[in-house]
Amino acid sequence: MNRRRVTPLVLVLLLLVIGMSWVWLWPRIFPPAGSMQDSMTNMPGMPMPEPRPGQRSEDGATSPMPQSSAPSSEHPGVVTIPLERLQMIGVKYEPVARRRLEKTIRTVGRVAVDERRLAKVTIKFHGWIEELYVSALGDHVKKGQRLFTIYSPDLVASQEEYLLAVRGQKQLGSSEFPEVAQGSKDLLEAAKRRFQLWDITEDHIRELEQTGKVLKTLPIHSPITGTVIKKEALAGAHVEPGEELYTIADLSHVWILADIYEYELSFVKKDQKAAVTLSYDPSAILTGRVGFIYPTLDPKTRTAKVRFELDNLDEKLKPDMYANVELRVDLGTRLAIPQEAVIESGRKHVVFLHHGGGKLEPRLIKTGVKTGEWSEVLEGLKEGEHIVTSANFLIDSESRLKSAVESMGGMPGMK
């Protein structure tokens, strides 16, 4: 069998035909991404794609830009948040208004004895206690009541001298010699003055004059009506001049000493009324008043003592007992907003104004007095402006507002 030899020219032509075929088939087998999407969209039944933001569509219209929370060029600093988002967060608004503010100061005080109703029983001569009439701590005594009797050699000698002076006055008081009559009178007055200096009452002196008998012991009486809160007197004990034997306090009127912080002292005035309650009986409310503001400050606690005075007729309040004190101060009518609406960032105080349509504007303000739920506004807001009262939740939820607050450099006229 004869084989025909293939010439080189035939091989070249064959390769050219195969290459041209691949050039024609390659784009149809592996089309580009853009052309594939265009071919798919141009297929019957496929929806037309929406143009990208800012891109013109086939009909010549420009697609709108999506809504964002970027600051508006018309109102610098204003941030727009979709209303649905605000409703989901639970943002609340409230108008700025003038309100009557009342500041409440609460503290704990200690019940103390009224020092003006306190008496200490001492004697001015030495002696021995014979008999005790008030022998227990806490006994209630009345003014002039006998406390104890005392024997003193000096007291006995003074009684004898006084009786001699009384007899001398009777004998020599009508003497024809003026010097003698005057001398007997001066001697009687000197003996009587010694009794007075020793706190011997007038009725005992009169009794001594009438009976003419020297008493071995003399009674010592209570100087005030009150309760015995300290007792050192014992039957048969020897006592020296100036030794404190009894301490008697009138507890029908007491003090409460309370600590008030330095920043609250300006609100406390003399004669202000205060409500006093006890921890074991909160239902009982007593009324006191500010009696004195002490002039010194404790450097460690930064507090000053304030004395509250109140009646204690049933003696429910006892010395060294703790009591709760509440002082309400009327501050008058002032421009105020809820404290929860204020965001404190260092020395800055920021609130968010609501302009409607989800537009919020951060505003720097200057605050004044703070009460329980209100904060006074000194600068930055006007009456009638609407503010966000749940701004803290808004800041936590919308981090985009944080950058707006941090970018605020300040307000004209505010520091």
Side-chain angles (χ1 to χ4, degrees):
M1 182 176 181
N2 295 330
R3 295 181 178 177
R4 296 181 179 178
R5 298 182 62 181
V6 180
T7 63
L9 180 60
V10 175
L11 292 174
V12 171
L13 292 175
L14 182 60
L15 292 174
L16 288 175
V17 172
I18 295 173
M20 293 178 65
S21 300
W22 275 107
V23 170
W24 182 78
L25 292 174
W26 183 266
R28 288 162 176 77
I29 299 174
F30 303 103
S35 61
M36 181 181 293
Q37 182 178 4
D38 293 342
S39 62
M40 292 178 65
T41 55
N42 292 331
M43 293 178 62
M46 295 297 293
M48 294 295 292
E50 295 182 359
R52 290 185 295 272
Q55 181 181 10
R56 289 185 177 274
S57 60
E58 295 181 356
D59 58 356
T62 303
S63 61
M65 298 295 291
Q67 188 178 11
S68 66
S69 59
S72 173
S73 59
E74 298 179 358
H75 304 282
V78 175
V79 180
T80 303
I81 298 179
L83 295 178
E84 296 80 5
R85 178 62 176 166
L86 295 179
Q87 292 177 358
M88 183 177 63
I89 297 174
V91 176
K92 298 179 181 179
Y93 314 99
E94 188 170 321
V96 180
R98 300 183 65 85
R99 296 176 173 85
R100 192 170 190 86
L101 300 183
E102 184 181 66
K103 185 175 182 62
T104 302
I105 301 175
R106 295 182 178 88
T107 183
V108 177
R110 180 180 60 85
V111 179
V113 177
D114 187 342
E115 296 176 359
R116 296 166 298 193
R117 298 169 180 251
L118 189 66
K120 296 182 182 296
V121 178
T122 61
I123 57 174
K124 300 177 181 179
F125 49 87
H126 77 93
W128 288 261
I129 296 177
E130 289 285 330
E131 186 176 359
L132 283 177
Y133 296 101
V134 178
S135 58
L137 193 67
D139 285 350
H140 190 79
V141 297
K142 294 183 179 180
K143 183 176 181 180
Q145 179 179 335
R146 287 189 177 189
L147 300 176
F148 61 91
T149 58
I150 186 169
Y151 161 74
S152 172
D154 294 338
L155 191 58
V156 172
S158 297
Q159 292 182 76
E160 293 175 347
E161 292 176 4
Y162 185 77
L163 290 178
L164 289 174
V166 170
R167 287 194 291 266
Q169 173 66 17
K170 291 180 179 179
Q171 295 175 1
L172 302 176
S174 58
S175 176
E176 59 183 3
F177 300 101
E179 296 82 359
V180 175
Q182 185 63 37
S184 63
K185 182 179 180 181
D186 293 342
L187 183 61
L188 179 63
E189 292 295 331
K192 187 175 183 179
R193 191 178 304 112
R194 183 184 301 177
F195 282 132
Q196 293 172 346
L197 294 176
W198 283 350
D199 297 330
I200 305 301
T201 58
E202 289 289 340
D203 56 338
H204 291 300
I205 298 176
R206 287 194 300 267
E207 183 180 356
L208 181 62
E209 292 178 358
Q210 293 172 1
T211 61
K213 293 181 180 180
V214 176
L215 299 177
K216 178 185 176 182
T217 60
L218 282 179
I220 302 299
H221 304 270
S222 174
I224 63 171
T225 299
T227 303
V228 177
I229 61 174
K230 185 178 180 181
K231 185 189 77 69
E232 299 294 339
L234 296 173
H238 177 265
V239 293
E240 293 290 340
E243 185 176 349
E244 183 180 331
L245 301 176
Y246 289 90
T247 300
I248 302 173
D250 181 5
L251 300 179
S252 63
H253 189 272
V254 296
W255 292 350
I256 294 181
L257 302 179
D259 294 324
I260 301 295
Y261 284 105
E262 179 181 3
Y263 64 89
E264 294 177 327
L265 281 177
S266 60
F267 301 104
V268 182
K269 306 296 180 183
K270 193 175 182 299
D271 294 329
Q272 280 182 328
K273 292 185 177 181
V276 178
T277 57
L278 303 176
S279 58
Y280 69 88
D281 188 11
S283 60
I285 301 178
L286 306 176
T287 302
R289 66 177 184 86
V290 178
F292 183 71
I293 303 173
Y294 287 74
T296 57
L297 195 74
D298 188 332
K300 295 181 179 180
T301 61
R302 309 306 301 174
T303 59
K305 290 287 185 185
V306 176
R307 187 176 73 206
F308 297 88
E309 302 179 6
L310 66 160
D311 292 329
N312 187 36
L313 299 178
D314 55 356
E315 297 189 5
K316 180 177 292 186
L317 297 174
K318 305 182 185 307
D320 293 326
M321 181 182 287
Y322 286 106
N324 301 315
V325 181
E326 184 177 283
L327 187 66
R328 295 182 179 271
V329 184
D330 187 6
L331 302 178
T333 303
R334 304 188 183 188
L335 190 68
I337 59 175
Q339 284 196 27
E340 60 180 351
V342 182
I343 304 172
E344 297 185 7
S345 177
R347 295 185 177 181
K348 294 181 180 180
H349 294 79
V350 182
V351 297
F352 284 91
L353 271 69
H354 178 230
H355 295 291
K359 295 182 178 180
L360 304 179
E361 176 190 355
R363 177 79 62 83
L364 284 176
I365 64 171
K366 183 176 180 181
T367 60
V369 179
K370 294 182 180 180
T371 61
E373 58 179 329
W374 303 102
S375 181
E376 180 188 10
V377 178
L378 300 178
E379 296 179 14
L381 290 175
K382 297 180 181 179
E383 187 175 359
E385 291 182 316
H386 279 71
I387 60 171
V388 178
T389 58
S390 56
N392 291 328
F393 298 102
L394 180 62
I395 289 298
D396 292 336
S397 303
E398 296 294 334
S399 59
R400 290 170 294 182
L401 292 182
K402 294 182 180 179
S403 60
V405 176
E406 294 173 356
S407 64
M408 297 176 61
M411 293 176 55
M414 293 191 62
K415 298 181 180 179

